[in-house]
Structures are given as structure tokens and as C-alpha cells.
Amino acid sequence: MKDPKQQLLNEAQEDEESQSQQEERQSEQIYHSGSVTPEGGRHKIHCLTIIGQVEGHYILPPQNKTTKYEHVIPQLVAIEQDDSIKGLLMILNTVGGDVEAGLAIAELVSGMKTPTVSLVLGGGHSIGVPLAVSARYSFIAPTATMTVHPVRMNGVLLGVPQTLSYFDKMQERITGFVCQNSGIQPERFKELMMNSGELVMDIGTVLDGEMAVEEGLIDSLGGLHEAVEKLYDLIEAQPKEEAPEDRPKAAPPKRGRAAKAADRHKKEPEPEKKPARSPGRPRKKRSEAAGPLDLPPVPLPPTDSAEAPRPKRRPGRPRKGE
């Protein structure tokens, strides 16, 4: 028999090894992707950080802190497909960055079925505004700020009307997304963007935590504890998934006319073919207009005992003796 003390020691060593391996995996995950999937809470959640500048199609200098959207997008897809992860906590401290890359991440977050909560710490400027409001519920720290300003671009630009039209359309995309995912009105959002009396070298508005909540951009003031508790509430409010045997069977897909005609052709038996006629004398074709044949009536025998009158003799050669 095994010694119970030795067995307990072995189990304790295995627990310590598994815990150390889990910590190593979390450290590697934080180092490589800036995210972590902690365990031990009420529900298993994933923490995603968007920090520094959102890097798009061009690589930024190495001294810049960046969030690469080609790293974030696969993480979001994996979170949505992983049934063990029940929620997503997104922490933002960003100065903005590439408009299309930021909108791509924001659109993915807003379209997730997994409950999502965002928390703005430090700052959520420029394209960080759509990222913050893309979650199902958003928080902002009282000391954090958000800068709202119109789309801008540095470098060499073509001074043609098409460039201004392109900027206007891009600005409409951002305004529409922010207003659909928050409580601010489009007219008020444009007023904050075009404010020229607050920023020294730019137009726009800087909103602190309380002002962002008052304007309707962010849902509530709070910190990490409030964000995690709200995420747990959203997870527990999710409808429970039905078992596979309890789910109603899906109706068969509708088929087109061509498929139905093919099925009907398969079901109907093919008509039997008549054996080919042996070659020979061709039959006479009777014309349809000829009608029935006119045959003379057949005389019936007499029914009475009297002799029938003899038929008259045809005229011809006279008999002898006449």
C-alpha cells in the first residue's frame, strides 16, 4: 500500500507545478500580446489592453508604444469562438492612431456576442473614442480624459476638392459609429469637434471623466472593480444555452425550381418503350376522309312457303322453237 503522507506530498507538488506553469503562460501572454486570461474569479474573462498608438498599415518608429491591430483582431476572433471565456474587459490608455485600424477593432468589439466592458484610464483620445464606446458598457476613471477632434492627416497631401470630400466621408463614418454606440447626439458631437477655443494648436474638445459621462459618450464613472462587477452582471444576464437535444430542429433550406424539377424527374417512372416493329411490307395508310366502306346489303331468304318470283331473263339470243 502507498504511504498516505507521500501521496499528499506528491499531490501538493503537482499543484505547485501546475500553478507555476499557469503563471508562466500568463507572463508570456502578457509579454507577447499585452493581454491576459485570468482564472479564479466568478467567471473566466479575458483582459485586452489598447495602449500607446494604434498602429495601422505603416510601422511606427521603435521608440513608440503601439498596439498592432493585426495582433488584436485574431484575439477578438478567438475570444468570440472560445466557449470557456465568458466576457471581455478592454482597458484603454491610448493617444489614438490609424483611423481605419481603430475602426476595424471597434467594429469587431461592437459585433461580439460575448459581453464586453471598456475602461478608460489615463486617456482615450482621437480614435480611442470609438474604441471606448464600442463595448456594451463603458467606464471612465474620474481623472481620465478624452479628446474629440476632426479627422486630420500629416504629410504631403493633394490640394484638390476630392481630398476634402474624402476627409468629410471619413468623419461621417466616425460620427455615425460613435453616436450609434453611445448616448450623444450627432449635432453635439460635431460641436465638440469643431470647438476652436480650447486647444492651442488644434480644434476640438478635451473631456474629463465627469464631462464625458454628462455628454453621453461614456456610460458611467468607475474603476477596475466597477468594470469587473458590471462584466460579471452582463455574463450572468446572458440567456443560458439550450442543450443540443432541446434545440428545435432547423427547417430544411428552400430549394429552387431547378432542384425541385430534378427531384420530380427522378421520382416519376420512365414510360415503357414499345418494341420496335419488324421490317416488312408497309401498311396502307387509310385516309381519315374516306369514311366507312359502302357495301351492298345481303338479301335474306324468304320466310313464307310461296315460291319467290323468278327473276326476269336478260334479253339475249332467242330460244329454239319460238
Side-chain angles (χ1 to χ4, degrees), residues 72-314:
V72 176
I73 290 176
Q75 291 184 58
L76 296 177
V77 176
I79 294 167
E80 182 72 4
Q81 294 296 315
D82 193 348
D83 294 335
S84 64
I85 299 177
K86 303 301 181 181
L88 171 64
L89 176 63
M90 186 167 56
I91 298 179
L92 295 98
N93 186 9
T94 176
V95 295
D98 190 274
V99 174
E100 291 187 349
L103 274 181
I105 298 173
E107 288 284 1
L108 278 180
V109 174
S110 65
M112 293 178 67
K113 182 181 178 181
T114 305
T116 55
V117 170
S118 65
L119 173 61
V120 180
L121 298 172
H125 309 292
S126 189
I127 200 62
V129 176
L131 288 170
V133 303
S134 63
R136 197 173 300 182
Y137 200 90
S138 57
F139 286 91
I140 186 171
T143 57
T145 58
M146 303 180 74
T147 303
V148 181
H149 63 77
V151 175
R152 56 193 178 182
M153 187 178 298
N154 55 5
V156 180
L157 300 176
L158 294 176
V160 292
Q162 288 84 348
T163 303
L164 300 178
S165 176
Y166 172 73
F167 280 3
D168 190 25
K169 290 179 180 179
M170 186 178 294
Q171 188 61 62
E172 289 296 329
R173 290 162 56 193
I174 297 174
T175 303
F177 181 85
V178 171
C179 295
Q180 288 176 4
N181 292 273
S182 66
I184 194 170
Q185 297 298 322
E187 295 78 11
R188 179 56 181 165
F189 189 72
K190 292 180 180 179
E191 289 179 5
L192 296 175
M193 284 193 304
M194 299 303 176
N195 183 16
S196 58
E198 186 164 343
L199 299 179
V200 177
M201 300 183 65
D202 198 0
I203 60 175
T205 305
V206 178
L207 303 174
D208 59 12
E210 293 183 1
M211 292 177 62
V213 175
E214 290 176 1
E215 294 290 347
L217 270 179
I218 303 298
D219 294 320
S220 179
L221 283 173
L224 180 60
H225 174 71
E226 289 80 8
V228 173
E229 289 297 324
K230 182 63 179 180
L231 184 57
Y232 286 161
D233 294 341
L234 293 177
I235 293 171
E236 293 169 359
Q238 286 279 100
K240 294 183 179 179
E241 295 184 359
E242 298 178 355
E245 58 271 8
D246 298 336
R247 294 176 184 172
K249 295 183 179 180
K254 295 184 178 180
R255 309 188 69 189
R257 295 182 179 178
K260 292 180 179 179
D263 293 344
R264 195 182 307 114
H265 181 69
K266 291 179 182 179
K267 293 179 181 179
E268 293 179 356
E270 296 183 358
E272 296 181 357
K273 295 182 180 180
K274 295 182 179 180
R277 182 167 163 261
S278 61
R281 186 178 178 183
R283 295 180 181 179
K284 293 182 179 180
K285 293 184 180 180
R286 181 183 173 187
S287 60
E288 296 179 357
L293 297 176
D294 298 328
L295 300 175
V298 179
L300 299 175
T303 56
D304 51 356
S305 58
E307 295 182 0
R310 297 178 64 182
K312 293 181 180 181
R313 181 170 166 266
R314 292 188 303 175

